[in-house]
Amino acid sequence: MYKPVVDFIKSQFPSQDFIPLHEPRFIGNEKKYVNDCIDSTFVSSVGKYVNDFEKQIAEYTGAKYAVAIVNGTAALHMAMLVAGVKRDEIVITQSLSFIATCNAISYIGASPLFVDVDMDTMGLSPDKLKIYLKEFAVKKSNGFSYQKTTGQKISACVPMHTFGHPCRIDEIATICNEYNIALVEDAAESIGSRYKEKHTGTYGIVGAISFNGNKTITCGGGGVIITDNEALAKRAKHLTTQAKVPHRWNFVHDEIGYNYRMPNINAALMCAQLEELDSFLDNKRELSALYKNFFANGEIKFVSEPAHSKSNYWLCAILLPDKKSRDAFLEYTNDNGVMTRPTWALMNKLEMFKNSMCGNLDNAQVLEDRLVNIPSSVRIKK
Ligand SMILES: Cc1ncc(COP(=O)(O)O)c(C=O)c1O
């Protein structure tokens, strides 16, 4: 039954027997820049590539500042710390997300509170957020919002741009503003994705992007935070470099910091990958159009980019009619050389977060049951 799907996917990646979900492509100046970095001996946290990378990311995303970080999880941790999240506070996020979002919240000692996603964007739903806050949040005279039943401060909201599709981030920003909740964007998956022309990660006070090996562009492991707030960028740079007080030779540190700065050797790889980004995005968009056309008339629905947005189509996604057919599809494709994956188990079902507070999560449940990611790598053209 799913043979035509497997045949179609294989026809898009003809030189490969096994089709992975998302492979990196190193077809430009990667080796040149990495060799140059090695020759310079500046392979660690100081060097020209790490500074160049930050400049280029700021320019590309339109953010005023970028701070290079070792990976996306650490970037999210930093983003929430500098946004002001503290121990025992609440951070609202979506239950349909990768574990890193909740891990970063937990590193601070804060607790996630799960709100549903929209079916079309697969990202945090502004309508469901509004409903939750209206019922369960109270704004106190100090200007901050608190969860009514536990009395905990709701200090941040972390929507995620799922598989690269932007969520309704402007509406979420308006709601966060009204309740005085810091908006931190998990843009880990959405380098190159724009909502109403503005790059994802630039709507909130700070955004975090990942350059893990499975992402659209990668340096093995890497991340960045972007922000328009100079003080916040400075603080992030300070905290990620062991909170060392700048001095020519003295080692003095003024608070507990982190060894979170992206090494120059990774940044060298990033600089080369950034040169390829626009052509990778075109290539992936072309593949998404072919998938959309292929799935146009059957029972499997292709998930297109939402209104008002330009997605990077990091991982293409389809919806099967139900969980049973999803499982059959996963089994057939993975048995026949095509890597496909269901979405993540919902965060509120994991042992660590099963007692977390939740709103209604109907859409996330539908996506958990029916969504499958299909191969989405940049295709190499002869
Ligand atoms: C939604 C989301 N948040 C955070 C991360 C963490 O990024 P990293 O793997 O670079 O730590 C990832 C991906 O890996 C992700 O998909």
Side-chain angles (χ1 to χ4, degrees), residues 150-162:
T150 66
Q152 289 168 285
K153 184 179 169 189
I154 305 173
S155 50
C157 174
V158 186
M160 198 271 278
H161 303 287
T162 308

Side-chain angles (χ1 to χ4, degrees), residues 214-232:
N214 64 353
K215 296 297 185 290
T216 302
I217 52 172
T218 181
C219 56
V224 73
I225 64 176
I226 51 177
T227 180
D228 283 342
N229 183 318
E230 186 181 5
L232 199 145

Side-chain angles (χ1 to χ4, degrees), residues 29-30 33-34 37 49-50 263-273:
N29 285 316
E30 287 83 0
Y33 295 170
V34 169
C37 180
Y49 285 109
V50 72
N264 200 40
I265 195 164
N266 295 73
L269 205 42
M270 263 340 291
C271 287
Q273 288 270 284

Side-chain angles (χ1 to χ4, degrees), residues 71-73 76 97-98 100-101 160 186 188-189 210-212 215 222:
N71 58 54
T73 310
L76 267 175
S97 190
F98 180 55
T101 326
M160 198 271 278
D186 183 344
E189 306 179 351
S210 162
F211 301 107
N212 183 42
K215 296 297 185 290

Side-chain angles (χ1 to χ4, degrees), residues 1-11 294-295 332:
M1 180 183 183
Y2 298 121
K3 186 172 182 310
V5 180
V6 163
D7 289 346
F8 179 75
I9 295 175
K10 286 192 166 171
S11 75
F294 177 80
F295 289 113
Y332 185 84

Side-chain angles (χ1 to χ4, degrees), residues 22-26 72 98 100 160 163-164 186-191 209-220 222 270 273 277 280 284 312 314-315 344 376-378:
H22 202 287
E23 279 184 305
R25 297 280 182 245
F26 304 114
F98 180 55
M160 198 271 278
F163 308 131
D186 183 344
E189 306 179 351
S190 63
I191 182 71
I209 304 176
S210 162
F211 301 107
N212 183 42
N214 64 353
K215 296 297 185 290
T216 302
I217 52 172
T218 181
C219 56
M270 263 340 291
Q273 288 270 284
L277 177 55
F280 284 7
K284 287 165 76 67
N312 66 1
W314 169 51
L315 285 187
W344 315 279
S376 309
S377 306
V378 169

